[in-house]
Amino acid sequence: MKLLIIGSGGREHALVWKLKQSPRVTKIFCAPGSAGIGELAECVAITPEQLDRLAEFAQKERIDLTVVGPELPLTLGIVDLFESRGLKIFGPNRAAAQLEGSKAFTKEILHANGIPTAAFATFTDAAAARQYLARQKSPYVVKADGLAAGKGVLICATLAEAEAALDEILVRKSFGAAGNKVVIEEFLAGEEASFMALTDGEHVLPLATSQDHKRIFDGDQGPNTGGMGAYSPAPVVTAEVHARILREILLPLLIGLKRQSIRYRGLIYAGLMITQDGPKVIEFNARFGDPECQPIMMRLKSDLLPLLEATIDGKLDQVEAEWYEDPAVCVVLAANGYPGAYDKGKEISGLEKLANWSQGFVFHAGTARENNRWLTAGGRVLGVTARGKTLVEAVEEVYRAVGVISWPGMHYRKDIARRALTANRD
């Protein structure tokens, strides 16, 4: 089979890495890919938003299956376009991808179907939003409605900070059109978890649980990022919580979408807060999480390809996913300045020492290759990912590997998975 993977980050590198292990895969293209992905697949100079060019390429190359990595092409309707041309593609259609494309749409769906989430209100007018904020309790959660690369959620300790966040989103348009509407939510206390599952619209096949680390600094301090690291499994998702997520969130969601004539086929990612009252929805994503995808792919023992095909064909109830017991941990290495303006073009040292690393893999998120040198080319540069027989071993191994890599200004969190390690000691 010939596959096309759309995207260029660490998530797409992990998907290419896993799918290349399938005995049925003969060739993988990646659009646009990256220098790192280019070591496993043939990169194609087409960007994710160039839908017509992607479809034409898939037809010309007789691609058997396309897998969409990032959210933008999904919300633009790439699945609708490919299916109209008879091309097989993994991901939700445009109507279903609204779950990620519009936070206001998602909140309305949750509210209409009694799915647990934070209380909320939506606004397009800054003055009305300020009046509402003044009646709420701190801390405040202010979200840009649309896609903002994981950075459009602002948690504010004071009313002044919340009003400044409103101004940034609705008035200064720091997130562009994503900030045409703002969602103000009740702050939820608890522990976050990422719950990803495959769904064909009728059946749900949960993937291994994971937990992301959004904030830039240790101890969950500083601004939100696209993700600074992740680990799997997440101890906070106990068997009871797992059952409640399926029973109270995902299955009612699919039923609610069907009432609106929306069939969701693809990967559904529920960003959850595990509160004292149980799991509550913070957000939905319509694709694999990044960096959660990296440790999850490393733990997946099954061939990924049949799972994707069963999702598309409506046969998820006929397949199972087998997992390695070993936990896995991913630590993101970021450029100086990220998630704001960041350095590029810094030479990366040490990658050659991990070329034959038996306990892990270095996924490239933002790198370039020039004159046989690896250079930084993004905010999140590398996702160093390792497995271990225990979570402690996985953490030790991943940070040993991190210590081998360096470039001027390299930044990473030193406490990835610490919450789970603390929980295990308790």
Side-chain angles (χ1 to χ4, degrees), residues 10-12 14-15 196 288-298:
R11 164 186 50 220
E12 289 75 31
L15 291 171
M196 284 185 273
F288 286 96
D290 186 350
E292 297 99 322
C293 184
Q294 289 85 308
I296 285 176
M297 287 302 105
M298 191 159 282

Side-chain angles (χ1 to χ4, degrees), residues 290-330:
D290 186 350
E292 297 99 322
C293 184
Q294 289 85 308
I296 285 176
M297 287 302 105
M298 191 159 282
R299 292 192 61 220
L300 181 59
K301 195 173 185 178
S302 305
D303 187 338
L304 177 61
L305 181 58
L307 304 181
L308 302 184
E309 291 176 313
T311 302
I312 297 168
D313 296 337
K315 298 178 179 177
L316 260 185
D317 57 329
Q318 300 176 27
V319 296
E320 293 182 359
E322 192 177 355
W323 301 92
Y324 290 107
E325 292 288 336
D326 298 355
V329 180
C330 173

Side-chain angles (χ1 to χ4, degrees), residues 39-90:
E39 296 190 325
L40 299 175
E42 182 177 327
C43 295
V44 183
I46 307 175
T47 59
E49 67 273 13
Q50 294 177 302
L51 306 192
D52 287 322
R53 287 190 63 197
L54 289 165
E56 288 162 11
F57 177 83
Q59 287 178 310
K60 179 185 172 186
E61 290 293 336
R62 297 184 178 179
I63 297 297
D64 296 296
L65 173 64
T66 297
V67 180
V68 185
E71 59 273 20
L72 181 58
L74 294 170
T75 59
L76 291 175
I78 189 170
V79 171
D80 309 71
L81 174 64
F82 271 53
E83 289 181 343
S84 73
R85 298 192 184 189
L87 295 165
K88 200 166 190 175
I89 183 167
F90 175 84

Side-chain angles (χ1 to χ4, degrees), residues 162-216:
E163 290 174 337
L166 277 178
D167 188 63
E168 185 176 348
I169 295 170
L170 275 177
V171 181
R172 298 212 310 273
K173 297 292 184 185
S174 297
F175 301 105
N180 289 342
K181 185 182 290 183
V182 70
V183 178
I184 299 173
E185 285 188 7
E186 164 199 16
F187 178 81
L188 294 177
E191 190 170 344
E192 286 191 51
S194 305
F195 194 93
M196 284 185 273
L198 300 174
T199 178
D200 56 15
E202 299 287 341
H203 313 99
V204 176
L205 180 64
L207 301 184
T209 61
S210 59
Q211 191 168 63
D212 184 17
H213 296 66
K214 286 288 188 191
R215 301 297 190 97
I216 186 69

Side-chain angles (χ1 to χ4, degrees), residues 111-129:
H111 179 69
N113 292 280
I115 298 170
T117 188
F120 73 100
T122 61
F123 300 92
T124 55
D125 178 70

